[in-house]
Every structure is written in structure tokens, then in C-alpha cells.
mmCIF file of all heavy atoms in Angstrom:
data_model
loop_
_atom_site.group_PDB
_atom_site.id
_atom_site.type_symbol
_atom_site.label_atom_id
_atom_site.label_comp_id
_atom_site.label_asym_id
_atom_site.label_seq_id
_atom_site.Cartn_x
_atom_site.Cartn_y
_atom_site.Cartn_z
ATOM 1 N N PRO A 1 -3.582 -24.042 -9.082
ATOM 2 C CA PRO A 1 -4.905 -23.547 -9.513
ATOM 3 C C PRO A 1 -5.714 -22.862 -8.449
ATOM 4 O O PRO A 1 -6.431 -21.960 -8.672
ATOM 5 C CB PRO A 1 -5.562 -24.800 -10.058
ATOM 6 C CG PRO A 1 -4.510 -25.619 -10.467
ATOM 7 C CD PRO A 1 -3.322 -25.408 -9.463
ATOM 8 N N ARG A 2 -5.671 -23.405 -7.193
ATOM 9 C CA ARG A 2 -6.487 -22.838 -6.183
ATOM 10 C C ARG A 2 -5.953 -21.446 -5.798
ATOM 11 O O ARG A 2 -6.792 -20.604 -5.552
ATOM 12 C CB ARG A 2 -6.394 -23.763 -4.951
ATOM 13 C CG ARG A 2 -7.238 -23.334 -3.857
ATOM 14 C CD ARG A 2 -7.319 -24.357 -2.680
ATOM 15 N NE ARG A 2 -8.257 -23.988 -1.649
ATOM 16 C CZ ARG A 2 -8.847 -24.751 -0.883
ATOM 17 N NH1 ARG A 2 -8.458 -25.983 -0.880
ATOM 18 N NH2 ARG A 2 -9.655 -24.382 -0.061
ATOM 19 N N ALA A 3 -4.676 -21.237 -5.911
ATOM 20 C CA ALA A 3 -4.072 -19.892 -5.647
ATOM 21 C C ALA A 3 -4.583 -18.912 -6.670
ATOM 22 O O ALA A 3 -4.919 -17.733 -6.472
ATOM 23 C CB ALA A 3 -2.737 -19.943 -5.486
ATOM 24 N N CYS A 4 -4.641 -19.390 -7.944
ATOM 25 C CA CYS A 4 -5.042 -18.527 -9.087
ATOM 26 C C CYS A 4 -6.440 -18.106 -8.885
ATOM 27 O O CYS A 4 -6.915 -16.888 -9.063
ATOM 28 C CB CYS A 4 -4.925 -19.274 -10.330
ATOM 29 S SG CYS A 4 -3.279 -19.643 -10.927
ATOM 30 N N THR A 5 -7.236 -19.055 -8.486
ATOM 31 C CA THR A 5 -8.729 -18.809 -8.207
ATOM 32 C C THR A 5 -8.901 -17.837 -7.036
ATOM 33 O O THR A 5 -9.754 -16.888 -7.118
ATOM 34 C CB THR A 5 -9.563 -20.092 -7.810
ATOM 35 O OG1 THR A 5 -9.307 -20.988 -8.923
ATOM 36 C CG2 THR A 5 -11.033 -19.739 -7.657
ATOM 37 N N SER A 6 -8.056 -17.950 -6.042
ATOM 38 C CA SER A 6 -8.158 -17.024 -4.912
ATOM 39 C C SER A 6 -7.730 -15.604 -5.280
ATOM 40 O O SER A 6 -8.403 -14.710 -4.941
ATOM 41 C CB SER A 6 -7.235 -17.522 -3.732
ATOM 42 O OG SER A 6 -7.700 -18.790 -3.264
ATOM 43 N N LEU A 7 -6.666 -15.538 -6.116
ATOM 44 C CA LEU A 7 -6.255 -14.237 -6.691
ATOM 45 C C LEU A 7 -7.319 -13.526 -7.451
ATOM 46 O O LEU A 7 -7.544 -12.368 -7.380
ATOM 47 C CB LEU A 7 -4.964 -14.277 -7.371
ATOM 48 C CG LEU A 7 -3.701 -14.362 -6.598
ATOM 49 C CD1 LEU A 7 -2.568 -14.805 -7.536
ATOM 50 C CD2 LEU A 7 -3.394 -12.974 -5.932
ATOM 51 N N ARG A 8 -7.963 -14.277 -8.357
ATOM 52 C CA ARG A 8 -8.975 -13.758 -9.227
ATOM 53 C C ARG A 8 -10.178 -13.244 -8.369
ATOM 54 O O ARG A 8 -10.641 -12.243 -8.571
ATOM 55 C CB ARG A 8 -9.431 -14.868 -10.146
ATOM 56 C CG ARG A 8 -10.224 -14.288 -11.358
ATOM 57 C CD ARG A 8 -10.390 -15.270 -12.428
ATOM 58 N NE ARG A 8 -9.201 -15.678 -13.126
ATOM 59 C CZ ARG A 8 -8.566 -16.836 -13.158
ATOM 60 N NH1 ARG A 8 -9.068 -17.770 -12.489
ATOM 61 N NH2 ARG A 8 -7.385 -17.009 -13.768
ATOM 62 N N LEU A 9 -10.630 -14.156 -7.423
ATOM 63 C CA LEU A 9 -11.780 -13.751 -6.587
ATOM 64 C C LEU A 9 -11.473 -12.542 -5.777
ATOM 65 O O LEU A 9 -12.281 -11.589 -5.605
ATOM 66 C CB LEU A 9 -12.155 -14.887 -5.707
ATOM 67 C CG LEU A 9 -13.302 -14.792 -4.678
ATOM 68 C CD1 LEU A 9 -14.529 -14.452 -5.566
ATOM 69 C CD2 LEU A 9 -13.527 -16.005 -3.889
ATOM 70 N N SER A 10 -10.202 -12.520 -5.097
ATOM 71 C CA SER A 10 -9.833 -11.337 -4.303
ATOM 72 C C SER A 10 -9.767 -10.102 -5.173
ATOM 73 O O SER A 10 -10.042 -8.948 -4.678
ATOM 74 C CB SER A 10 -8.619 -11.643 -3.530
ATOM 75 O OG SER A 10 -7.561 -11.819 -4.348
ATOM 76 N N GLY A 11 -9.224 -10.176 -6.359
ATOM 77 C CA GLY A 11 -9.204 -9.091 -7.273
ATOM 78 C C GLY A 11 -10.555 -8.359 -7.557
ATOM 79 O O GLY A 11 -10.682 -7.240 -7.494
ATOM 80 N N PHE A 12 -11.456 -9.326 -7.845
ATOM 81 C CA PHE A 12 -12.776 -8.865 -8.227
ATOM 82 C C PHE A 12 -13.482 -8.252 -6.951
ATOM 83 O O PHE A 12 -14.221 -7.331 -6.996
ATOM 84 C CB PHE A 12 -13.711 -9.870 -8.796
ATOM 85 C CG PHE A 12 -13.345 -10.207 -10.274
ATOM 86 C CD1 PHE A 12 -12.945 -11.414 -10.755
ATOM 87 C CD2 PHE A 12 -13.518 -9.137 -11.225
ATOM 88 C CE1 PHE A 12 -12.679 -11.584 -12.069
ATOM 89 C CE2 PHE A 12 -13.363 -9.322 -12.527
ATOM 90 C CZ PHE A 12 -12.799 -10.610 -12.950
ATOM 91 N N LEU A 13 -13.181 -8.927 -5.730
ATOM 92 C CA LEU A 13 -13.775 -8.395 -4.463
ATOM 93 C C LEU A 13 -13.164 -7.051 -4.132
ATOM 94 O O LEU A 13 -13.910 -6.185 -3.685
ATOM 95 C CB LEU A 13 -13.545 -9.410 -3.407
ATOM 96 C CG LEU A 13 -14.477 -10.685 -3.339
ATOM 97 C CD1 LEU A 13 -14.082 -11.710 -2.297
ATOM 98 C CD2 LEU A 13 -15.894 -10.276 -3.260
ATOM 99 N N LEU A 14 -11.956 -6.816 -4.350
ATOM 100 C CA LEU A 14 -11.327 -5.536 -4.136
ATOM 101 C C LEU A 14 -11.951 -4.484 -4.999
ATOM 102 O O LEU A 14 -12.125 -3.351 -4.582
ATOM 103 C CB LEU A 14 -9.747 -5.589 -4.221
ATOM 104 C CG LEU A 14 -9.093 -6.206 -3.080
ATOM 105 C CD1 LEU A 14 -7.701 -6.575 -3.503
ATOM 106 C CD2 LEU A 14 -9.035 -5.240 -1.896
ATOM 107 N N LEU A 15 -12.143 -4.746 -6.245
ATOM 108 C CA LEU A 15 -12.758 -3.715 -7.267
ATOM 109 C C LEU A 15 -14.170 -3.487 -6.813
ATOM 110 O O LEU A 15 -14.621 -2.290 -6.803
ATOM 111 C CB LEU A 15 -12.596 -4.277 -8.575
ATOM 112 C CG LEU A 15 -11.297 -4.475 -9.281
ATOM 113 C CD1 LEU A 15 -11.335 -4.993 -10.564
ATOM 114 C CD2 LEU A 15 -10.484 -3.124 -9.280
ATOM 115 N N THR A 16 -14.876 -4.600 -6.376
ATOM 116 C CA THR A 16 -16.262 -4.342 -5.886
ATOM 117 C C THR A 16 -16.316 -3.629 -4.618
ATOM 118 O O THR A 16 -17.220 -2.559 -4.515
ATOM 119 C CB THR A 16 -17.009 -5.684 -5.733
ATOM 120 O OG1 THR A 16 -16.825 -6.409 -6.983
ATOM 121 C CG2 THR A 16 -18.411 -5.495 -5.296
ATOM 122 N N SER A 17 -15.407 -3.748 -3.668
ATOM 123 C CA SER A 17 -15.394 -3.031 -2.385
ATOM 124 C C SER A 17 -15.100 -1.557 -2.794
ATOM 125 O O SER A 17 -15.559 -0.784 -2.056
ATOM 126 C CB SER A 17 -14.446 -3.702 -1.485
ATOM 127 O OG SER A 17 -13.104 -3.559 -1.853
ATOM 128 N N ALA A 18 -14.236 -1.302 -3.705
ATOM 129 C CA ALA A 18 -13.904 0.095 -3.961
ATOM 130 C C ALA A 18 -15.065 0.745 -4.483
ATOM 131 O O ALA A 18 -15.329 1.958 -4.122
ATOM 132 C CB ALA A 18 -12.686 0.072 -5.003
ATOM 133 N N PHE A 19 -15.845 0.113 -5.243
ATOM 134 C CA PHE A 19 -17.137 0.777 -5.769
ATOM 135 C C PHE A 19 -18.139 0.944 -4.622
ATOM 136 O O PHE A 19 -18.817 1.944 -4.636
ATOM 137 C CB PHE A 19 -17.769 -0.258 -6.759
ATOM 138 C CG PHE A 19 -19.105 0.235 -7.374
ATOM 139 C CD1 PHE A 19 -19.133 1.435 -8.166
ATOM 140 C CD2 PHE A 19 -20.278 -0.302 -7.031
ATOM 141 C CE1 PHE A 19 -20.317 1.858 -8.642
ATOM 142 C CE2 PHE A 19 -21.496 0.189 -7.434
ATOM 143 C CZ PHE A 19 -21.497 1.250 -8.356
ATOM 144 N N VAL A 20 -18.219 -0.009 -3.685
ATOM 145 C CA VAL A 20 -19.115 0.216 -2.583
ATOM 146 C C VAL A 20 -18.644 1.300 -1.755
ATOM 147 O O VAL A 20 -19.499 2.152 -1.334
ATOM 148 C CB VAL A 20 -19.303 -1.021 -1.824
ATOM 149 C CG1 VAL A 20 -19.987 -0.879 -0.515
ATOM 150 C CG2 VAL A 20 -20.015 -2.178 -2.729
ATOM 151 N N VAL A 21 -17.393 1.432 -1.440
ATOM 152 C CA VAL A 21 -16.831 2.536 -0.668
ATOM 153 C C VAL A 21 -17.139 3.818 -1.358
ATOM 154 O O VAL A 21 -17.606 4.740 -0.674
ATOM 155 C CB VAL A 21 -15.319 2.312 -0.401
ATOM 156 C CG1 VAL A 21 -14.652 3.580 0.217
ATOM 157 C CG2 VAL A 21 -15.129 1.140 0.590
ATOM 158 N N ALA A 22 -16.920 3.943 -2.578
ATOM 159 C CA ALA A 22 -17.107 5.136 -3.328
ATOM 160 C C ALA A 22 -18.627 5.531 -3.329
ATOM 161 O O ALA A 22 -18.952 6.652 -3.115
ATOM 162 C CB ALA A 22 -16.750 5.099 -4.776
ATOM 163 N N GLY A 23 -19.371 4.525 -3.564
ATOM 164 C CA GLY A 23 -20.917 4.853 -3.582
ATOM 165 C C GLY A 23 -21.451 5.298 -2.228
ATOM 166 O O GLY A 23 -22.227 6.207 -2.081
ATOM 167 N N ARG A 24 -21.056 4.556 -1.142
ATOM 168 C CA ARG A 24 -21.520 4.810 0.106
ATOM 169 C C ARG A 24 -21.041 6.289 0.730
ATOM 170 O O ARG A 24 -21.732 6.941 1.584
ATOM 171 C CB ARG A 24 -21.280 3.691 1.099
ATOM 172 C CG ARG A 24 -22.074 2.493 0.650
ATOM 173 C CD ARG A 24 -21.964 1.447 1.724
ATOM 174 N NE ARG A 24 -23.394 1.409 2.295
ATOM 175 C CZ ARG A 24 -23.663 0.727 3.372
ATOM 176 N NH1 ARG A 24 -22.791 0.109 4.018
ATOM 177 N NH2 ARG A 24 -24.977 0.742 3.795
ATOM 178 N N SER A 25 -19.775 6.515 0.314
ATOM 179 C CA SER A 25 -19.274 7.738 0.905
ATOM 180 C C SER A 25 -19.440 9.027 0.118
ATOM 181 O O SER A 25 -19.534 10.065 0.659
ATOM 182 C CB SER A 25 -17.738 7.528 1.178
ATOM 183 O OG SER A 25 -17.151 7.319 0.016
ATOM 184 N N LEU A 26 -19.554 8.806 -1.137
ATOM 185 C CA LEU A 26 -19.691 10.037 -2.093
ATOM 186 C C LEU A 26 -21.063 10.086 -2.698
ATOM 187 O O LEU A 26 -21.372 11.017 -3.496
ATOM 188 C CB LEU A 26 -18.591 9.969 -3.085
ATOM 189 C CG LEU A 26 -17.111 9.896 -2.588
ATOM 190 C CD1 LEU A 26 -16.311 9.750 -3.709
ATOM 191 C CD2 LEU A 26 -16.905 11.242 -1.813
ATOM 192 N N GLY A 27 -21.909 9.054 -2.495
ATOM 193 C CA GLY A 27 -23.178 9.080 -3.279
ATOM 194 C C GLY A 27 -22.985 8.176 -4.379
ATOM 195 O O GLY A 27 -21.945 8.179 -5.012
ATOM 196 N N TRP A 28 -23.978 7.376 -4.802
ATOM 197 C CA TRP A 28 -23.961 6.595 -5.793
ATOM 198 C C TRP A 28 -23.635 7.140 -7.222
ATOM 199 O O TRP A 28 -22.944 6.451 -7.989
ATOM 200 C CB TRP A 28 -25.149 5.583 -5.879
ATOM 201 C CG TRP A 28 -25.159 4.790 -4.636
ATOM 202 C CD1 TRP A 28 -26.015 4.861 -3.556
ATOM 203 C CD2 TRP A 28 -24.416 3.607 -4.338
ATOM 204 N NE1 TRP A 28 -25.691 3.914 -2.584
ATOM 205 C CE2 TRP A 28 -24.681 3.124 -3.103
ATOM 206 C CE3 TRP A 28 -23.297 2.939 -4.945
ATOM 207 C CZ2 TRP A 28 -24.043 2.075 -2.459
ATOM 208 C CZ3 TRP A 28 -22.698 1.880 -4.354
ATOM 209 C CH2 TRP A 28 -23.078 1.454 -3.181
ATOM 210 N N GLY A 29 -24.302 8.254 -7.528
ATOM 211 C CA GLY A 29 -23.928 8.890 -8.804
ATOM 212 C C GLY A 29 -22.602 9.333 -8.911
ATOM 213 O O GLY A 29 -21.812 9.062 -9.829
#
């Protein structure tokens, strides 16, 4: 269960980091 939680958290963090990279490099819109 701890590995499942880690995978879920890292998946959401990767999606969030992709959004931040896109927003900061290309403009938020």
C-alpha cells in the first residue's frame, strides 16, 4: 500500500510539474 501511495503521489506531482514547466516557459495562457 505504501508503494501504491508513492506511485499515486509521484504521478500527480509529475502532472503538476509538467503544468508548471509549461506555464513558466510558455506563459500561463
Side-chain angles (χ1 to χ4, degrees):
R2 187 171 183 161
C4 293
T5 303
S6 296
L7 277 170
R8 192 171 292 116
L9 180 62
S10 63
F12 282 120
L13 286 175
L14 282 165
L15 295 177
T16 304
S17 67
F19 178 71
V20 170
V21 167
R24 295 192 109 190
S25 61
L26 302 172
W28 293 104

